[in-house]
Amino acid sequence: MTSRADTPDRIIAAARELMTEKGLLEVSLAEISQRAGTNIALVSYYFGNREGLMLALAEADGARATAHLARLLAAELSPSEKIEAHIRGLIDAYFERPYLHRLLQKLLREGSSEVSARIGAALVEPTAQARRTTIDQGMASGEFREVDASLLSFAIDGACSHIFSSEAGRRAVLGKGDIDRELKDRYVQTVSQLVIEGLLAR
């Protein structure tokens, strides 16, 4: 028997499952409530509204990514190895949660000022700072050439996320819309090589 305290987690899990299965952000609260075995009134009770639920989902998923970054910064790896591991972690996160990048962008662009600020402070800024720190270390050691680490952060984001943005786009370029593990791993290798080769000092 599940307790009332489990209800918010069940609602978040239901939203996550449905958005992954459908490949859409626009899953109704009625569908989410039905999958969670609860009712819409409890969604409102725990999260306030749909935006509150989407924020809770983004923060729950994003917390895994920021924890990975913290461990990576503390690891005894070269800057190149850290960048490669970060790219793999980011692409793995989008593979497991294919809605995540679109959800974050939607909350940043269309969310209330409070919600967009929370996403920026909790997820965007720590990620960008971790990348800057790693790239700065690489430049200081002579491993990396001089680059604008902040602008490169946008390039890494775009490279890691774009393949997940459109099934139709994947079908047009790759001949298939699905992303399996083999394709995901090849994409990790391609993006890692592109970024790291561009960073290395000659």
Side-chain angles (χ1 to χ4, degrees):
M1 180 176 179
T2 58
S3 70
R4 188 177 177 87
D6 296 327
T7 302
D9 290 339
R10 286 193 288 117
I11 293 170
I12 290 173
R16 180 183 293 126
E17 290 169 5
L18 286 165
M19 288 162 63
T20 299
E21 290 169 12
K22 293 175 175 287
L24 299 170
L25 298 182
E26 294 75 24
V27 178
S28 73
L29 293 183
E31 289 179 282
I32 293 170
S33 299
Q34 183 179 30
R35 175 66 65 92
T38 182
N39 58 66
I40 293 177
L42 283 177
V43 175
S44 299
Y45 175 79
Y46 286 112
F47 302 103
N49 53 26
R50 180 183 178 82
E51 183 182 60
L53 172 57
M54 293 299 104
L55 173 63
L57 173 58
E59 288 182 331
D61 287 348
R64 297 175 64 207
T66 53
H68 170 75
L69 273 177
R71 292 192 299 271
L72 197 55
L73 283 175
E76 293 187 6
L77 299 171
S78 70
S80 290
E81 290 170 327
K82 288 182 179 181
I83 291 293
E84 183 176 6
H86 170 55
I87 288 171
R88 175 171 291 280
L90 196 55
I91 292 175
D92 282 348
Y94 292 148
F95 178 71
E96 294 171 10
R97 309 277 194 263
Y99 58 82
L100 182 56
H101 185 264
R102 284 175 291 145
L103 177 59
L104 293 174
Q105 293 304 309
K106 183 177 180 67
L107 292 173
L108 285 167
R109 289 195 308 265
E110 302 173 21
S112 64
S113 56
E114 178 186 354
V115 165
S116 59
R118 279 180 61 172
I119 292 294
L123 303 175
V124 179
E125 291 174 17
T127 300
Q129 182 56 51
R131 289 174 186 155
R132 284 194 295 267
T133 298
T134 302
I135 293 168
D136 286 347
Q137 289 171 349
M139 290 190 293
S141 69
E143 183 178 352
F144 293 164
R145 64 185 179 86
E146 291 293 319
V147 296
D148 187 321
S150 293
L151 291 181
L152 185 60
S153 184
F154 285 104
I156 291 172
D157 258 342
C160 289
S161 66
H162 193 62
I163 196 171
F164 299 98
S165 64
S166 167
E167 181 179 343
R170 292 191 298 271
R171 187 171 289 108
V173 175
L174 301 172
K176 66 175 187 176
D178 294 338
I179 301 178
D180 56 22
R181 290 192 178 276
E182 187 271 337
L183 175 58
K184 183 265 295 181
D185 289 339
R186 284 197 291 124
Y187 195 62
V188 168
Q189 183 178 29
T190 298
V191 174
S192 297
Q193 288 177 341
L194 182 67
V195 172
I196 293 170
E197 287 294 325
L199 277 169
L200 292 176
R202 301 299 181 185

